[in-house]
Amino acid sequence: MALLSLQRNLPVPSVQELASEPLDAVPSRYLRDDVDDPVSNPCNPFLQIPTVDMSKLLDAESQAEELHKLYSVCRDWGAFQVVNHGVADELVKSMKEKSRDFFYFPLQEKKRYAQKEGSVEGYGQTFVNSEEQKLDWSDMLFINALPYEDRKYNFWPDRPQGFREALDRYSGEVKRLALSLLGFMAKGLGLEAHEFSKDFEDGLYHVRMNYYPHCPQPQQVVGMAAHADITGITVLLEFDETQGLQIRKDGYWVPVKTLSGAFLVIVGNIGTVMSNGIYQSAQHRVVVNSLKERLTIVTFCYPHKEAIIEPVHNLINPENPALFKTLGHAEYFDLFFSRNSYSGEPWFIDTLKIDA
Ligand code: OGA
Ligand code: NI
């Protein structure tokens, strides 16, 4: 069905509203039969997502060892948590408060920022392109925060007071962190920092605030289906102890418990392409909870619009030929948005391989 594409965005009900009524049964559009299936979706609750310490990366004495750690976790996991990242606690706290306040407003208030057909920016749900599609148990507010010229302030809530200022500062700080991490990820491969970070200096930083309500049938519902991000990297903030995110490692789902104050970093498909396949883009999904809601703030970091998406030249030689196609920025996004689903096979990264 070539006409269906991810860019169509059919309106569906607010899940938060659905969950606020006494619900005996979840509507069938949300029900899946393989969420807990031990064969297709085995879990390994004994593994723990590795931690990278930014202060050790910045300290000449500990840098080499921590760089090696960063390199191995990007290679073996494609995700890690980062501590001592330098983003002020007070800013993180305020960003959390403002976005929670926003989701707690009545639906009518949130709808002032509703997504428009054909675009995912604004308040609503992700990528709904057919009436048959299985739906995720979540609502979101999606905002293109950077570069400044892409801002559409009609999607930036003016209530609660201070929301815009917090998001403005937060996106700037997360960008600073992302540039630094991308530089170290390049160094971990023996490259110069700028070989990864330069295209992100004027990059795109899209912030998605996710609200996952409690769900009466958590075994048959997902907050977000299994996917890999199409970013360079993604910087994710969990609000509190409510778990839900799982990362796929060697075929197993590993529940993520981020340390208080840490960010979770996920390598996206562009990160995999730039590293010529050395760094993985971790598949991940969100499971839901029968008692508690869960909120997250996710920043998707992309290279600027003129960037070429391809393996870094200095990683390519006769023994290590390029494994991925060279694509223009628009071409890359067109390819992604021409897909029918953001989740499931064939995985997008595989379609970017030269022999695909
Ligand atoms: C995403 C995502 C996970 C979460 O928004 O792409 O994977 O825990 N979110 O909200
Ligand atoms: Ni994701």
Side-chain angles (χ1 to χ4, degrees):
M1 290 275 274
L3 276 180
L4 293 183
S5 85
L6 283 178
Q7 224 153 11
R8 278 197 59 197
N9 212 7
L10 299 176
V12 293
S14 152
V15 182
Q16 193 177 353
E17 293 297 303
L18 265 179
S20 68
E21 306 287 329
L23 260 187
D24 296 331
V26 166
S28 62
R29 285 178 85 183
Y30 297 90
L31 296 177
R32 304 169 193 251
D33 46 24
D34 61 348
V35 178
D36 273 352
D37 179 54
V39 176
S40 56
N41 283 308
C43 267
N44 185 342
F46 303 107
L47 285 174
Q48 181 53 274
I49 186 107
T51 302
V52 169
D53 187 336
M54 195 61 150
S55 64
K56 289 190 183 163
L57 286 170
L58 293 165
D59 175 352
E61 248 173 56
S62 47
Q63 189 181 67
E65 198 180 319
E66 202 66 7
L67 264 183
H68 185 74
K69 184 171 188 193
L70 176 66
Y71 159 79
S72 5
V73 300
C74 291
R75 181 194 60 193
D76 300 340
W77 285 79
F80 55 91
Q81 50 183 334
V82 58
V83 295
N84 296 319
H85 44 67
V87 180
D89 284 349
E90 146 274 320
L91 174 58
V92 169
K93 188 162 166 270
S94 151
M95 194 62 235
K96 285 181 186 174
E97 268 169 26
K98 304 296 170 197
S99 40
R100 178 176 273 128
D101 288 353
F102 174 79
F103 282 109
Y104 284 0
F105 280 143
L107 186 61
Q108 272 326 98
E109 172 69 17
K110 288 179 288 206
K111 281 204 159 160
R112 292 174 55 215
Y113 310 96
Q115 291 164 332
K116 310 244 186 300
E117 170 140 20
S119 160
V120 86
E121 194 168 5
Y123 171 72
Q125 289 75 26
T126 180
F127 306 131
V128 182
N129 57 34
S130 85
E131 300 297 339
E132 292 81 46
Q133 184 185 332
K134 287 289 176 197
L135 300 180
D136 292 342
W137 192 255
S138 54
D139 294 336
M140 66 169 179
L141 174 65
F142 192 110
I143 294 179
N144 296 347
L146 288 168
Y148 289 103
E149 62 267 25
D150 285 0
R151 288 188 178 180
K152 298 195 193 89
Y153 283 108
N154 54 323
F155 291 122
W156 290 57
D158 54 7
R159 269 174 285 174
Q161 210 201 354
F163 181 101
R164 291 181 172 192
E165 291 77 2
L167 181 57
D168 179 48
R169 279 182 65 207
Y170 182 82
S171 50
E173 282 293 289
V174 171
K175 173 179 172 178
R176 191 195 50 72
L177 172 63
L179 289 175
S180 175
L181 283 169
L182 283 158
F184 286 121
M185 285 165 63
K187 285 185 159 184
L189 292 166
L191 301 167
E192 300 285 338
H194 70 88
E195 289 180 88
F196 264 27
S197 62
K198 68 175 186 325
D199 285 342
F200 293 78
E201 274 160 24
D202 312 310
L204 317 183
Y205 294 82
H206 296 171
V207 180
R208 169 170 168 173
M209 285 147 258
N210 294 305
Y211 183 90
Y212 305 96
H214 67 91
C215 178
Q217 279 164 271
Q219 270 83 28
Q220 286 145 282
V221 171
V222 288
M224 202 175 290
H227 66 283
D229 293 345
I230 63 166
T231 55
I233 56 172
T234 303
V235 180
L236 188 146
L237 177 67
E238 298 195 283
F239 273 44
D240 51 37
E241 266 64 76
T242 314
Q243 283 180 34
L245 182 62
Q246 301 182 332
I247 299 271
R248 183 118 62 182
K249 166 89 166 85
D250 304 330
Y252 290 92
W253 289 115
V254 177
V256 172
K257 297 183 211 102
T258 44
L259 297 164
S260 162
F263 285 105
L264 184 79
V265 179
I266 303 174
V267 180
N269 288 166
I270 296 178
T272 297
V273 170
M274 293 193 308
S275 70
N276 201 31
I278 298 175
Y279 290 163
Q280 291 191 42
S281 8
Q283 278 178 24
H284 50 285
R285 67 173 187 173
V286 178
V287 296
V288 287
N289 190 297
S290 61
L291 300 173
K292 288 200 244 163
E293 64 186 9
R294 178 169 175 270
L295 288 92
T296 56
I297 301 179
V298 184
T299 308
F300 300 110
C301 313
Y302 300 102
H304 64 80
K305 289 173 208 157
E306 310 308 322
I308 305 290
I309 291 160
E310 63 181 356
V312 168
H313 291 184
N314 282 335
L315 291 173
I316 305 305
N317 54 48
E319 289 85 65
N320 298 292
L323 300 178
F324 297 92
K325 298 171 191 166
T326 292
L327 295 170
H329 195 276
E331 230 179 333
Y332 175 85
F333 282 92
D334 286 351
L335 263 181
F336 178 71
F337 284 117
S338 67
R339 292 165 65 82
N340 281 338
S341 168
Y342 75 88
S343 175
E345 292 178 359
W347 295 101
F348 186 52
I349 191 68
D350 293 325
T351 70
L352 303 175
K353 289 186 176 148
I354 279 182
D355 53 12

